[in-house]
Amino acid sequence: AAVDFRRSFITTDVNPYYDAFVRWQFNKLREKGKVKFGKRPAIYSEADGQPCMDHDRRTGEGAAPQEYTGIKLRLLELPECLKHLEGKA
């Protein structure tokens, strides 16, 4: 079976029959092990404050999630140019 990802459907309280169908379909797929819950990488829109799909962005289509490594260091002596940040988290 194939899925046509070009189409979108929105379930709301306005159409309880369609909403019930989608819930039934989702539960059937979950019972068969076809749907799993878990974490996955997502593109996050800082403008909207939520994850967004590739086609939802005005620019940057085709961008993939990026992984970063942060390194936290404790300074033995605070340089003069950073003194105004002392005590801030």
Side-chain angles (χ1 to χ4, degrees):
V3 177
D4 185 358
F5 286 105
R6 295 172 296 174
R7 301 181 70 187
S8 67
F9 299 96
I10 299 171
T11 63
T12 65
D13 295 337
V14 175
N15 189 347
Y17 299 107
Y18 182 71
D19 184 61
F21 167 72
V22 171
R23 288 175 186 270
W24 171 84
Q25 188 177 43
F26 182 81
N27 288 329
K28 287 292 184 185
L29 291 171
R30 189 173 53 192
E31 288 170 7
K32 293 181 179 186
K34 302 290 184 183
V35 177
K36 297 179 183 177
F37 178 80
K39 294 182 179 180
R40 64 181 178 87
I43 302 293
Y44 182 80
S45 169
E46 291 185 8
D48 298 328
Q50 63 183 4
C52 62
M53 298 299 293
D54 196 45
H55 62 277
D56 292 334
R57 295 188 301 277
R58 189 177 320 155
T59 59
E61 284 193 24
Q66 297 179 1
E67 185 174 321
Y68 293 93
T69 302
I71 301 173
K72 185 176 179 179
L73 301 173
R74 183 179 304 270
L75 297 176
L76 299 177
E77 292 181 27
L78 198 60
E80 193 61 40
C81 62
L82 298 177
K83 291 280 186 188
H84 67 283
L85 299 174
E86 192 170 15
K88 295 184 179 180

